[in-house]
Amino acid sequence: MSDVRSRSYFLGLLPLPERQAVARALRTETVGGLVLLVAAVVALVWANSPWSGAYEEIRDFQFGIPALGLDLSVGHWTADGLLAMFFLVAGIELKRELVVGELRTPATAALPVIAAVCGMAVPAALYAATASAGGGSLQGWAVPMATDIAFALAVLAVLSTHLPAALRAFLLTLAVVDDLGAILIIAVFFTSDLNLWALAGACAGLVVFYLLQRARVRGWWWYVPLGVTIWALMYNSGVHATVAGVAMGLILRTTRDPGEEESPAARVAHAVHPVSAGVVVPLFALFAAGVSITGAALGEVFTSPEPLGVVIGLVAGKTLGIFAGTYLAARFTRARLNPALAWADVLGLSVLAGIGFTVALLIGELAFTDGQTAEHVKAAVLIASVLAALLAAALLRRRNTIYRRLYEAETVDADGDGIPDIYQQTQGPAAAGWRDGQAT
């Protein structure tokens, strides 16, 4: 066997079921990302308008049940409450990747995991170096670590790029591993004084949730009240409440029993994902992205060590970390890049991953209790995301003609049987390019 054939291929044609699952997930994220962009623009305009006082008054308005420790502001309800639905979907997607997706075997998981870990470690290191050099706080080291998949896909939609499914799937897998890293960071490093009784209650609730899944119990009237109870106990335990959403997402069963059309995880994702992407995340953005945009504030982003570290971490750190991690992993795992693509495509995707919005804003709020520094860090996240989007646009648009050709090759269905012809071809230039990328 030749050396070429003995090596695995990277970014080849996805198996049809995986391609269909990725397409469904990304379709929802793209629509949600466009709504997210609108919400972020509205927040910025509103916060810098003559009605900015009304914005702050609504964001800081408190309501809830004080006796249960749930008397929160609107801003906190969106960050600690509604965002739990976002992390529930993230937990489901992570479980799906681990069970049936790219992360199910060490061979397929190695490359995206290494790329994602490098894409988290390098931004954190660059932030730490920048903050230390400027005499700033190291508390924000985790802010530039996460990629916002919805925002990134919205940028692709605006650009009208035709990225092949394999590139989109790689971006999604990177974001999933990023989300896992963010979840662990939030749980470990941003836990306040623990209330052990509340934490024990939340864990007991998760055990009940697991047992109900094992017993194949169906019905939202079991799970919704239980989920709300777990969330409330987790919030009162001192562990960030969004961890409850992730835990429940990981517990949900992702495999189908005989006779089932969809697994419980698929049913929940189908119901919750559109709400999370189209309502929850935009609402969070509406009340998190409203920062003051003035000459002095913008100057602070590039002169204060903390926000400057965030900008450098997202724009330079993400690009360097993901690209270098991918390239080195491919070399050491003997993976060969799909011959239909080039390393310039991986570079463009690495730059696009520098768009960090939802989770970066959330970690920024958790890391900095000083209001002024927190505002500057939020502004830095927004500016860095825009810079990453513009750089990625320049790189990806240059290759769009190639992407369009590959996209058309993998989507054409001339016989109308619902299966793209490339999955039924064994010869021809279109099949050769992608089939080589699928070879093992």
Side-chain angles (χ1 to χ4, degrees):
M1 182 176 292
S2 67
D3 181 61
V4 169
R5 284 295 177 187
S6 67
R7 299 171 69 176
S8 60
Y9 282 79
F10 168 52
L11 298 178
L13 184 67
L14 293 175
L16 185 57
E18 178 69 7
R19 181 179 180 276
Q20 292 170 334
V22 168
R24 285 193 298 269
L26 296 184
R27 192 178 303 116
T28 302
E29 290 287 1
T30 301
V31 174
L34 293 172
V35 180
L36 171 62
L37 283 175
V38 172
V41 171
V42 170
L44 286 170
V45 172
W46 193 0
N48 292 276
S49 72
W51 302 278
S52 59
Y55 173 83
E56 294 174 0
E57 188 175 335
I58 294 173
R59 182 192 61 194
D60 299 333
F61 177 75
Q62 287 193 285
F63 67 97
I65 309 173
L68 298 179
L70 297 175
D71 186 24
L72 310 176
S73 68
V74 171
H76 278 125
W77 273 113
T78 58
D80 294 340
L82 290 181
L83 215 56
M85 295 177 65
F86 167 82
F87 280 99
L88 170 65
V89 174
I92 292 172
E93 183 57 36
L94 176 60
K95 179 75 172 287
R96 193 195 72 80
E97 288 284 342
L98 289 169
V99 175
V100 297
E102 288 293 300
L103 305 180
R104 68 186 181 279
T105 61
T108 57
L111 201 148
V113 167
I114 291 171
V117 170
C118 291
M120 291 185 284
V122 175
L126 286 181
Y127 172 90
T130 305
S132 297
S137 170
L138 296 179
Q139 289 178 308
W141 62 273
V143 175
M145 292 177 65
T147 294
D148 194 303
I149 183 67
F151 207 143
L153 291 171
V155 170
L156 293 178
V158 171
L159 292 174
S160 295
T161 57
H162 295 74
L163 245 66
L167 283 168
R168 293 176 184 266
F170 184 61
L171 180 63
L172 177 62
T173 304
L174 287 175
V176 167
V177 179
D178 264 1
D179 286 341
L180 174 60
I183 292 157
L184 294 174
I185 288 166
I186 290 171
V188 174
F189 295 99
F190 297 104
T191 295
S192 54
D193 295 337
L194 281 176
N195 181 328
L196 294 179
W197 287 108
L199 182 59
C203 292
L206 290 171
V207 170
V208 173
F209 195 99
Y210 171 77
L211 293 175
L212 289 174
Q213 283 288 288
R214 290 278 295 181
R216 302 307 195 258
V217 174
R218 298 184 62 171
W220 64 266
W221 50 88
W222 290 99
Y223 294 100
V224 172
L226 178 59
V228 172
T229 301
I230 293 170
W231 171 84
L233 288 167
M234 191 71 75
Y235 176 82
N236 282 287
S237 73
V239 177
H240 200 271
T242 53
V243 174
V246 178
M248 287 184 278
L250 289 171
I251 290 172
L252 283 167
R253 180 166 53 86
T254 55
T255 54
R256 293 181 297 171
D257 285 340
E260 276 189 326
E261 292 186 5
E262 289 184 307
S263 67
R267 289 196 298 271
V268 173
H270 182 75
V272 176
H273 197 178
V275 178
S276 169
V279 179
V280 168
V281 174
L283 275 177
F284 170 75
L286 180 63
F287 294 108
V291 296
S292 177
I293 302 296
T294 63
L298 292 176
E300 287 290 333
V301 170
F302 295 101
T303 55
S304 295
E306 294 89 352
L308 180 59
V310 169
V311 172
I312 293 174
L314 281 171
V315 178
K318 274 290 183 183
T319 302
L320 178 61
I322 292 175
F323 183 80
T326 304
Y327 182 79
L328 291 174
R331 291 293 300 272
F332 285 107
T333 60
R334 298 179 61 79
R336 181 170 178 252
L337 182 66
N338 178 3
L341 296 171
W343 283 106
D345 303 311
V346 179
L347 178 62
L349 214 63
S350 302
V351 176
L352 187 67
I355 298 176
F357 193 79
T358 306
V359 177
L361 290 175
L362 175 63
I363 294 178
E365 289 186 347
L366 296 174
F368 296 101
T369 55
D370 173 56
Q372 190 174 28
T373 304
E375 289 291 295
H376 293 156
V377 166
K378 284 183 181 180
V381 171
L382 297 175
I383 291 171
S385 297
V386 171
L387 289 174
L390 292 174
L391 289 171
L395 291 170
L396 295 175
R397 288 292 294 178
R398 289 178 60 252
R399 302 271 297 169
N400 199 39
T401 302
I402 296 171
Y403 299 151
R404 180 180 286 109
R405 175 171 55 80
L406 295 174
Y407 178 82
E408 290 171 353
E410 70 177 18
T411 55
V412 66
D413 182 19
D415 55 7
D417 64 353
I419 300 175
D421 294 346
I422 199 167
Y423 287 92
Q424 300 166 317
Q425 293 174 352
T426 57
Q427 297 179 3
W434 281 116
R435 286 287 175 185
D436 281 348
Q438 193 183 21
T440 57

